[in-house]
Amino acid sequence: MKFKYNNELFDKISEEKKSRILEAAITEFADYGYDRANINKIAEKAGVSVGSIYKYFNNKQDLYLAIVNFSVEKLKTVLNEIISSEIDFLSTVEKIIKAIQLFSRSDVYLTKLYNEMATENNSELVWKIASDMEGISANLYSSIIKKAQDDGQVRKDINSDYFAFFLDNLFILLQFSYSCEYYKERLKMFIDEKVFDNDDLLAEELLKFIKGAFYLK
Amino acid sequence: MKFKYNNELFDKISEEKKSRILEAAITEFADYGYDRANINKIAEKAGVSVGSIYKYFNNKQDLYLAIVNFSVEKLKTVLNEIISSEIDFLSTVEKIIKAIQLFSRSDVYLTKLYNEMATENNSELVWKIASDMEGISANLYSSIIKKAQDDGQVRKDINSDYFAFFLDNLFILLQFSYSCEYYKERLKMFIDEKVFDNDDLLAEELLKFIKGAFYLK
Amino acid sequence: MKFKYNNELFDKISEEKKSRILEAAITEFADYGYDRANINKIAEKAGVSVGSIYKYFNNKQDLYLAIVNFSVEKLKTVLNEIISSEIDFLSTVEKIIKAIQLFSRSDVYLTKLYNEMATENNSELVWKIASDMEGISANLYSSIIKKAQDDGQVRKDINSDYFAFFLDNLFILLQFSYSCEYYKERLKMFIDEKVFDNDDLLAEELLKFIKGAFYLK
Amino acid sequence: MKFKYNNELFDKISEEKKSRILEAAITEFADYGYDRANINKIAEKAGVSVGSIYKYFNNKQDLYLAIVNFSVEKLKTVLNEIISSEIDFLSTVEKIIKAIQLFSRSDVYLTKLYNEMATENNSELVWKIASDMEGISANLYSSIIKKAQDDGQVRKDINSDYFAFFLDNLFILLQFSYSCEYYKERLKMFIDEKVFDNDDLLAEELLKFIKGAFYLK
DNA sequence: CATGAATGAGGATTCATTCAT
DNA sequence: TATGAATGAATCCTCATTCAT
């Protein structure tokens, strides 16, 4: 299913203006959270009028959903590239971990936004967002695992859906731990202050963890 | 380190009134998030005056931190009971999983609150909260793993700190998946609508996942 | 030094609207004092929204400082006209006395405001206001006196700075005595109920007082 | 006329408790002004309960009036001592100036309070306060001047009531200039930063000013 | 279409005053 | 009489949204 949160007018403006608006919105929402984010400041940062913002998007929530959607698409692209490279399961996982580390460092705001979004209490909004992510990880991981099981790379006595879920859980918290203040502090408390200086070690241990879980020889 | 977010006056009032206020606050903060939570409504729900709330707590943030602290203590109690029961590693993990499932169902608001809290953008606040949780999971899990390694229950070629981190990640997202709207929707997408009707299956698969990761025979 | 307490937006609106807002603010602040003055009431009186007030001025204090500044400018204009008329010292003093009497009657609120302002306990605010008035009386009177000394109109065995200060003291309390409740009551007690019916007598006696002090033949 | 602003109960408590309450109130009112003064803080500072304060005084305004009254009495005592010493006019004035300088330095709060009080906008309150001060300066100065005129010390072509008023104006602003932030800044602008290091010079010049005004040979 | 000034409802916080103990 | 916990009205300020130009 595909949702559209912007009005037609937004489709017509220049790509440059579009991205100026999206970037401004992502930064503001990620920095202050949904509630404290200020539409007037977003307009100013983007160099357009508030009036225009409201011509492009019906309201604050729609603008929010639009950028969430935008960030999801960006993530999908990264993941799809990895998946389509047709390598073995473990290498795929390793690539994903590295990609998350890279992505979370460069696109901090997108991950913060994801976390912010997941906290949203408005249930209608939650449903819209969750649906929006549909298929992205759930089906993706599940099918990779099934394929790996067929190939004999992964143990067969596991439920691929549940294991896809656990795998994604590890990935999600990895992202948060690289982007969101609270989870960063938390990671430091588990390891130490210097944990962020050694991405490879973390990747290596996580891979070991996952490898064990999936019973890879 | 130990913080105290309420004023002395709060210590003096009846336990019944205390819990009325804490419950009202937890519900409000968990339902609406920090920003949209309304102190006046909390006071009304708790059956006290706003003035009293501000006699007990210096401001909205302190009230918030107080209930976070309160929920952390509640979690600690549950975990400590399990840990102190001196059983083998795998049984401990199993007990924790079951406890999370139970706790998350009964104390939905506490977990929602945790999620809400972890999203907070105010960095000073984040630091206070994170410090507050110090030792709870980080040291706890790490030491259990180390002990299990010494006992020969768990593989020795892993870094106990990192594995404690991954383990906690799985637990945290398990909690969220039972309490927070977004994560509930997400879990449904990974498995199906009926996933919440079969807690045991989820527990079983997660245990299998962790067992594999920790290389238990 | 020159301060600006309003935002640019305020400069752009119509003179009519500007003065509606300033008048409303002056009246409210002078009637109730800084603390009890109500921004919402000011907005209502001025026929604009609270939001607009806060677009024009950053906060209550800035609005207050803006009108203080405004009233100072008004006073300066009156004084400068008198000074620049190039008459002898005693005539200048006489003109100032008459001007104060006139001004205090017509612009009661400005003087009440001055008194209110001088009472302000917030020291940062006090410094801003005092600096704002810089040069208005201090340098003005002092230089007039010096010039009068050079001309032989005024005795030379006095310190012109101190005498300027004493002179201004007399002027300030004259203003208060015509505008502020307390000082009005006080004046009545010194003279009688009908003192305000005979401005000329007061002016005449004050002139006599000052004339003696400055040793004019 | 004599007013009483405290309830009978206040008369019965120990002098020590009385003065603890009055001192606390004077400090608070002078520091923060009538509006921002906090009755609960006054009670705490004085070491009594709020309930007691409200047993002793009907409300905030009455407590305020009571301390104003108290401070007036203190001033009266100082002035009466000077007046009753039966010296010549100029020496009396000199003594008063020195007394003001001394008093304003030691009892800063009383003078700040006077200024605060004089700004009060509530007209009923103003009338009460002004009446309270009745006779203190008005009649006092006027009669001294009349006596000095009879003695031939002071010129006879002046209205003693008006000149008493001008004289008191100079005294009042002298007090303010030693006690109140705004007037202190103002004095510095007339003279310089070091003006407060040389009380004698100021006294000398003021005496010169007054001497001239009163035509003393 | 774009602009950006104007709107006004909503919420955290304070503090004079009361009253049960 | 003394206490001090409880009350709740009152007010500054923000910001999503509108609409005249």
Side-chain angles (χ1 to χ4, degrees), chain D residues 63-109:
Chain D
L63 171 57
Y64 183 67
L65 288 169
I67 59 168
V68 167
N69 197 57
F70 170 76
S71 65
V72 167
E73 292 301 321
K74 218 170 164 182
L75 252 177
K76 269 187 191 164
T77 310
V78 173
L79 281 182
N80 278 329
E81 264 170 35
I82 295 172
I83 306 297
S84 60
S85 62
E86 294 281 348
I87 45 180
D88 66 290
F89 179 72
L90 206 58
S91 303
T92 305
V93 170
E94 189 177 2
K95 276 202 164 183
I96 291 174
I97 293 172
K98 302 276 187 191
I100 287 173
Q101 289 180 324
L102 197 71
F103 185 84
S104 300
R105 283 195 189 287
S106 63
D107 290 58
V108 178
Y109 287 128

Side-chain angles (χ1 to χ4, degrees), chain D residues 12 57 154:
Chain D
K12 297 183 194 159
F57 306 92
V154 161

